[in-house]
């Protein structure tokens, strides 16, 4: 599945509105792309592997995953998805706003379970695989939610919420209290990585330099480059280039701007370099990508 096909398919699979913020869409590594770079967001995300093998990293911990595995990613956690050697992986992203489960008034379930989870006072299982005793109970909730969203029977939203509550019931049944805060050094590393990602997200179209990024973090240039490589798994220059190309790919299928305009809007001053880089990443030219070739 090419990214442009995925974008259209995602639109068809959206089962959400501002009042029901729940979305499911399929993805493939490396058919869609070789990896999803390290990033974070305010949504809850579940990576449900359907076929093959890959790697999912959550807050710098890497899990080798295979068909059936589920990775639970909390709001605000840094995460990435990568190819494992030359293997492929098909997986389902389930993304939703956690507050869709919160009532608009004081609630015991929110105060006793979800708030401690978001405040990192308790830990729920992050990696679920078939040999775990509670795996089937958790996976069946997601499978049922999928079926409901595909068929959309009357009042299906109620049952989707019920499946999510049941899913969290299984996880909280195996939660553990966090005896002490995460080591300060790790907290600082996570905060710095989030700061870097946020700065790139806002300024990616500008002429970002290592000097500017290092100053933003309060690092020397050499320390910034070492930290970025250790945290993001690639160099800053490579990450920024891939991030810009990903943005360009989405604009090619969601806007009517010319290839030149899109190149400039995503930080590429040289059109021939943009075309060459795009083809290296996606296997086709920007124009062919837009036409679905």
């Amino acid at each position: 599945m090419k990214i442009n096909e995925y974008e259209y398919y995602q639109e068809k699979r959206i089962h959400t509105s501002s009042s029901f913020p729940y979305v499911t869409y399929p993805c493939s590594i490396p058919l869609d792309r070789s990896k999803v770079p390290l990033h974070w967001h305010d949504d809850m995300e579940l990576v449900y592997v359907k076929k093959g093998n890959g790697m999912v990293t959550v807050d710098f911990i890497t899990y080798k995953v295979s068909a059936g595995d589920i990775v639970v990613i909390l709001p605000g956690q840094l995460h990435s998805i990568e190819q494992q050697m030359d293997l492929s992986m098909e997986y389902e992203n389930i993304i939703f706003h956690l507050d869709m489960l919160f009532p608009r008034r004081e609630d015991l379930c929110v105060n006793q379970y979800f708030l401690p989870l978001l405040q990192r006072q308790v830990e729920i299982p992050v990696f679920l695989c078939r040999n775990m005793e509670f795996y089937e109970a958790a996976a069946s909730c997601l499978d049922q939610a999928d079926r409901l969203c595909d068929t959309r029977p009357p009042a299906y939203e109620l049952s989707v919420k019920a499946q999510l509550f049941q899913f969290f019931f299984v996880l909280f049944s195996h939660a553990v209290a966090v005896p002490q805060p995460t080591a300060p050094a790790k907290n600082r590393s996570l905060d710095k990585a989030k700061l870097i990602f946020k700065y790139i997200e806002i300024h990616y179209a500008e002429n970002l330099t290592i000097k500017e990024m290092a100053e933003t973090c309060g690092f020397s240039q050499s320390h910034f480059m070492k930290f970025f490589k250790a945290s993001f798994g690639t160099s800053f220059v490579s990450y920024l280039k891939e991030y810009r190309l990903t943005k360009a790919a989405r604009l090619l299928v969601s806007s009517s701007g010319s290839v030149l305009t899109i190149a400039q809007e995503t930080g590429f001053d040289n059109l021939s370099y943009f075309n060459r880089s795009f083809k290296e990443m996606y296997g086709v030219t920007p124009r062919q990508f837009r036409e679905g070739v």
Side-chain angles (χ1 to χ4, degrees), residues 115-257:
L115 286 183
L117 175 66
L118 293 175
Q119 293 165 359
R120 307 297 193 265
Q121 295 172 3
V122 298
E123 291 181 350
I124 57 177
V126 174
F127 177 58
L128 313 182
C129 58
R130 294 184 187 278
N131 62 6
M132 293 178 171
E133 60 174 333
F134 57 91
Y135 170 83
E136 289 298 335
S140 64
C141 298
L142 303 184
D143 294 336
Q144 178 61 10
D146 265 356
R147 287 190 288 269
L148 287 162
C149 288
D150 282 337
T151 57
R152 301 196 199 186
Y156 80 97
E157 298 95 339
L158 292 174
S159 191
V160 169
K161 278 194 175 186
Q163 296 304 321
L164 288 178
F165 275 119
Q166 183 65 22
F167 179 77
F168 279 109
F169 163 72
V170 174
L171 297 187
F172 278 118
S173 296
H174 296 83
V176 295
V178 177
Q180 57 185 14
T182 307
K186 183 178 180 181
N187 273 339
R188 286 196 295 271
S189 293
L190 288 171
D191 289 343
K192 289 291 186 183
K194 288 181 179 181
L195 174 65
I196 291 169
F197 175 76
K198 196 66 179 177
Y199 197 85
I200 293 173
E201 185 180 44
I202 295 171
H203 300 284
Y204 72 92
E206 301 170 13
N207 183 28
L208 285 180
T209 65
I210 290 175
K211 181 176 183 294
E212 179 182 349
M213 294 301 303
E215 289 174 351
T216 299
C217 299
F219 290 160
S220 68
Q221 292 185 51
S222 60
H223 182 57
F224 170 78
M225 289 187 290
K226 290 177 183 177
F227 177 83
F228 194 97
K229 177 72 173 178
S231 300
F232 289 77
T234 187
S235 70
F236 169 71
V237 173
S238 295
Y239 182 93
L240 179 61
K241 179 181 173 182
E242 184 173 334
Y243 188 91
R244 287 169 167 170
L245 289 170
T246 301
K247 290 290 187 180
R250 297 194 175 188
L251 285 174
L252 283 167
V253 297
S254 64
S255 76
S256 58

